[in-house]
Amino acid sequence: MDRSVTAGQLKDKSLFQDTDDSAVPVKGVCHSCSKLKIFLGALAFSFFAKGFSGSYMKSMSSQIERRFEISSSIFGIIDGSFEIGNLMVMVLVSYLGPRVHRPKVIGVGCLIMSLGAFLSVIPQFLMGRYNYERITVTVDNSSMSVSACSPGLSVSRPVTDATETPSAMKNFGLVRSSGMFGPTLGFLLGSFCASLWVDIGVVDIDAISINPKDTRWVGAWWLGLLICGGVNFIASLPFWFLPSSLPKEGQNEKMKISHLPVQGDHCKTDSPVQPQLDFSEAVKDFLPALKKLFGNPIFLVFIFLTILQYNSLVGVITYETKFMEQQFNVSVAKAIFLIGVILLPITIMGMFLGGFLIKKFKLHITEMAKFACITFIVAYLLNLLYFTCSCEVLQVAGLTAPYSGLKHLSFPKNNFMASCNADCGCKLDQWDPVCGDNGITYMTACFAGCKSSTGTGKNMVFHNCSCVEGQGHGLGNSSAVLGQCQRESCTKAFPYFLALQTACAFILVLGGTPTYMIMFRTVSPDLKSFAVGIETLCGRILGGLPAPIYFGALIDETCLKWGTKNCGGSGSCRVYDTKAFRNVYLGLIAGLRAGCCLLYIVISVLIMKRFKLDGKETTDIKNTERSTSKEAAIDNKKEILPCARTSEESEETCM
């Protein structure tokens, strides 16, 4: 027999009816509420771990290229292969999400990320210590070394560098934004690891003759991957202890009331049961659902917009540090650090502000579309100003500048030999640059015609350099130091570039949240999860996968001097044509974003046509008709069963 509770007792008794009509304390409901909070916290941390690992891997692009002597296009293939794992399960998981144990699926994903990070470290220990290109300079009994320029000098292979030694919208802002804090810390970790020598702990750091600004420098890329693997493993743990389904936020109070039979109410409700997975039914409904999604013109244009945005975003994230290094003469570690402490926090602020503006002014979907379109176009126009931040090409004798040092004279390209070093027996496949007193970089001290040297390691100085002497210096007084010459004008232009980039990033992400909300407001509620999966799939398979490859391939075309592997063959690039690099890199980004501008205009027009009627903003006509029919059905149900609860009462409101 049912136990009856009067309305006045609701305040005094914390009971709810279980499926067998027994009274159960509301503690169970509170327990579900606490589990919901645990799930949201775990999900936010998993977003953080994913962003943390992904951004760290992106920041290590130059280090991995140099460590394994590969080109940018090869690294692009490695980087793009990350998306292949996503593609194998993304659509399946998004479509079958409501039918499976979702927390455990997320936990498995975190474990796979952790395992992948640990496996990526293995090559570092299989290949032994890193050997960078350098010439051999032996020291005689005096304080002066043997001449770097000598007809009998036999330059050996590269040698070892050192000796051993709450609401749905609120939750959606919080969870996605927590994923943005991950990249910030990921880039900071990347900056720290890039400043450490790759073989830290097993070599004498003082004996290394290069610094982090050198194109042969390799940071401890593997160290951060160990940390990323640990973070992802920790992120997986909470999901194994969560139930397959949780009550929606705001439904806990309804749960308490709905399960309390009031006097005169003899209706019984059963607790929600996890839907069983029926593969045959799921496969049968897959194609109709896909057809319904792509039959929506707004969603179709949104997908094309997503693809172009993915291409430009992935290209920027992957090669921005390389661009900063080559264009503005800053170390990779510094470039990564600046991205982590300036650009990414600004991006987070822009995302929060965009979401705040939607909530504050209660923007209609047509207003959100206009806002997103205007902000993107403004950011694109600012983006064109990047081309004004020019920088001169590194002056390398015989490669980009004549040995005479006179810039107005024409000279044969890649002619590294001259009368001043013809008798030195220099090896053409080496790169151990020195900077002469004349401001010109030479491939090695041998090509500078240097006949003696003093000091060791980073402090080594070459003297009596015949190729430097021929440019107005007195005989025997010309010298060169290790490393390529600094381009001071490029370094001075860098703060202006960084300020412009910060402004562009802020304005760009300001309209990011409204853009993302367009998808949720233009698809039916039952297809939202599927729509997110399709949007992510298309963005990654047509953006995240190819973008690093073709960006890297075009960047490789601007390389002027390739390194040499120990086993022969070309390695990673040592010198780029910075002007060509700038035009290719910025030109690709500008072209992709120009297409985005066009699609923003198209999607704004489509939304205004669909959501406007007689000059007044209304809801979608089709949705209005659908909701009207639902209301009629609800009224009919209420006439028959006064105590029946409809699913519409508890349906989550779409923001």
Side-chain angles (χ1 to χ4, degrees):
M1 184 175 181
D2 296 338
R3 294 183 60 182
S4 300
V5 182
T6 62
Q9 289 175 306
L10 293 178
K11 296 181 180 178
D12 302 326
K13 296 191 176 183
S14 297
L15 304 171
F16 72 91
Q17 201 76 7
D18 201 359
T19 53
D20 60 354
D21 298 337
S22 60
V24 180
V26 175
K27 180 191 287 186
V29 178
C30 296
H31 182 62
S32 298
C33 180
S34 64
K35 283 191 175 181
L36 177 61
K37 293 179 180 179
I38 293 173
F39 174 76
L40 289 175
L43 187 63
F45 188 72
S46 70
F47 266 69
F48 166 84
K50 177 188 173 185
F52 180 74
S53 305
S55 63
Y56 177 79
M57 192 66 180
K58 295 284 187 184
S59 70
M60 291 290 105
S61 60
S62 296
Q63 314 301 317
I64 294 174
E65 284 181 27
R66 296 168 186 173
R67 177 63 181 90
F68 301 104
E69 293 292 348
I70 58 177
S71 62
S72 296
S73 57
I74 296 298
F75 175 80
I77 295 175
I78 297 172
D79 184 73
S81 65
F82 174 82
E83 306 297 343
I84 296 177
N86 289 303
L87 304 180
M88 297 169 71
V89 296
M90 189 180 299
V91 174
L92 185 65
V93 170
S94 64
Y95 182 66
L96 300 178
R99 303 173 176 88
V100 297
H101 198 297
R102 282 170 286 189
K104 287 186 178 179
V105 171
I106 299 172
V108 170
C110 292
L111 276 181
I112 294 175
M113 287 278 290
S114 176
L115 179 62
F118 289 133
L119 289 177
S120 299
V121 176
I122 294 177
Q124 166 66 19
F125 301 101
L126 293 179
M127 295 187 65
R129 289 181 296 163
Y130 169 60
N131 300 324
Y132 61 90
E133 293 177 88
R134 59 181 291 191
I135 63 171
T136 301
V137 179
T138 57
V139 182
D140 60 12
N141 293 329
S142 67
S143 61
M144 301 295 290
S145 73
V146 175
S147 169
C149 170
S150 173
L153 181 65
S154 175
V155 184
S156 66
R157 301 188 306 271
V159 296
T160 305
D161 53 272
T163 57
E164 291 195 42
T165 63
S167 63
M169 181 62 187
K170 181 181 179 182
N171 293 335
F172 170 80
L174 292 178
V175 173
R176 282 182 62 84
S177 296
S178 66
M180 292 302 299
F181 286 101
T184 300
L185 293 184
F187 273 98
L188 291 179
L189 177 63
S191 174
F192 173 74
C193 292
S195 64
L196 302 176
W197 183 242
V198 62
D199 294 316
I200 185 172
V202 297
V203 298
D204 181 9
I205 304 298
D206 294 331
I208 299 173
S209 61
I210 59 176
N211 58 49
K213 283 192 175 183
D214 197 290
T215 55
R216 296 165 294 169
W217 176 273
V218 176
W221 61 276
W222 54 273
L223 184 61
L225 284 177
L226 293 176
I227 299 174
C228 291
V231 170
N232 279 280
F233 177 77
I234 294 173
S236 71
L237 298 179
F239 294 104
W240 301 101
F241 305 99
L242 291 170
S244 59
S245 62
L246 293 167
K248 295 179 182 178
E249 189 174 6
Q251 286 188 338
N252 294 319
E253 292 299 324
K254 294 181 181 179
M255 232 172 137
K256 289 187 286 186
I257 303 299
S258 64
H259 287 80
L260 283 169
V262 187
Q263 273 188 329
D265 187 352
H266 301 287
C267 299
K268 300 195 315 185
T269 57
D270 295 330
S271 59
V273 180
Q274 172 70 13
Q276 298 298 315
L277 178 60
D278 187 343
F279 279 100
S280 60
E281 182 182 350
V283 172
K284 180 181 177 181
D285 295 338
F286 179 81
L287 290 179
L290 192 65
K291 182 179 180 181
K292 186 177 180 181
L293 271 181
F294 284 101
N296 183 342
I298 296 178
F299 180 76
L300 188 62
V301 175
F302 180 83
I303 289 297
F304 288 124
L305 176 63
T306 298
I307 291 171
L308 291 183
Q309 286 185 322
Y310 258 86
N311 276 269
S312 63
L313 179 63
V314 171
V316 168
I317 293 176
T318 306
Y319 296 107
E320 186 70 10
T321 55
K322 180 187 285 290
F323 176 74
M324 289 182 178
E325 177 194 30
Q326 297 295 328
Q327 193 71 30
F328 299 104
N329 199 36
V330 298
S331 67
V332 174
K334 182 178 179 180
I336 297 172
F337 176 79
L338 292 173
I339 291 176
V341 299
I342 297 179
L343 291 181
L344 288 181
I346 287 293
T347 301
I348 296 172
M349 289 175 57
M351 289 184 65
F352 270 115
L353 183 58
F356 172 78
L357 292 176
I358 292 176
K359 185 176 181 181
K360 176 70 175 179
F361 298 102
K362 299 179 180 178
L363 297 182
H364 187 266
I365 185 171
T366 55
E367 296 169 330
M368 285 195 291
K370 293 176 185 176
F371 179 73
C373 182
I374 291 172
T375 53
F376 192 90
I377 292 176
V378 171
Y380 175 74
L381 295 176
L382 284 177
N383 184 75
L384 296 179
L385 296 178
Y386 285 157
F387 288 95
T388 62
C389 300
S390 60
C391 186
E392 77 237 20
V393 179
L394 178 66
Q395 299 295 297
V396 181
L399 186 64
T400 60
Y403 271 90
S404 64
L406 301 176
K407 296 182 180 181
H408 64 277
L409 293 179
S410 60
F411 67 99
K413 298 290 184 180
N414 298 331
N415 185 16
F416 303 111
M417 304 306 297
S419 58
C420 58
N421 59 23
D423 298 329
C424 292
C426 304
K427 297 287 186 179
L428 296 176
D429 60 352
Q430 285 199 320
W431 178 261
D432 191 10
V434 294
C435 178
D437 289 339
N438 54 3
I440 293 181
T441 299
Y442 299 87
M443 288 175 54
T444 65
C446 179
F447 284 99
C450 300
K451 300 183 176 54
S452 60
S453 65
T454 56
T456 58
K458 297 184 183 72
N459 300 319
M460 184 177 290
V461 179
F462 297 90
H463 302 281
N464 302 327
C465 303
S466 58
C467 292
V468 180
E469 291 172 0
Q471 299 180 35
H473 295 269
L475 279 174
N477 294 326
S478 301
S479 62
V481 295
L482 282 172
Q484 58 194 45
C485 297
Q486 303 299 310
R487 294 169 290 163
E488 297 298 333
S489 60
C490 302
T491 306
K492 292 178 181 178
F494 182 63
Y496 301 102
F497 170 80
L498 197 62
L500 180 61
Q501 191 178 45
T502 302
C504 286
F506 179 78
I507 298 173
L508 194 64
V509 300
L510 197 61
T513 302
T515 300
Y516 202 74
M517 295 308 298
I518 288 175
M519 179 179 66
F520 287 101
R521 297 251 181 130
T522 55
V523 298
S524 56
D526 59 317
L527 293 178
K528 286 179 182 178
S529 176
F530 191 35
V532 171
I534 293 295
E535 179 258 350
T536 308
L537 172 71
C538 293
R540 289 189 167 181
I541 194 172
L542 298 176
L545 182 60
I549 300 174
Y550 69 78
F551 263 83
L554 291 173
I555 289 173
D556 284 341
E557 292 297 317
T558 67
C559 184
L560 296 175
K561 172 63 179 175
W562 291 94
T564 305
K565 297 180 181 179
N566 293 344
C567 56
S570 60
S572 59
C573 187
R574 302 305 189 206
V575 180
Y576 288 94
D577 182 342
T578 52
K579 184 177 180 181
F581 191 156
R582 180 182 70 250
N583 293 337
V584 165
Y585 177 72
L586 297 180
L588 272 176
I589 297 172
L592 291 169
R593 290 181 177 173
C596 290
C597 289
L598 179 62
L599 291 177
Y600 262 112
I601 295 173
V602 172
I603 203 171
S604 298
V605 172
L606 289 175
I607 288 175
M608 285 188 288
K609 284 184 178 181
R610 179 173 171 182
F611 289 86
K612 259 192 171 182
L613 183 64
D614 298 329
K616 296 181 179 180
E617 293 183 352
T618 63
T619 56
D620 186 3
I621 299 175
K622 296 181 181 178
N623 291 338
T624 304
E625 293 175 351
R626 189 182 302 115
S627 62
T628 303
S629 62
K630 285 183 179 180
E631 289 173 1
I634 293 170
D635 292 337
N636 292 334
K637 289 182 180 179
K638 287 182 177 179
E639 291 176 1
I640 298 172
L641 298 172
C643 62
R645 295 180 70 248
T646 62
S647 61
E648 282 75 12
E649 290 176 335
S650 60
E651 184 176 42
E652 183 180 4
T653 303
C654 170
M655 292 303 298

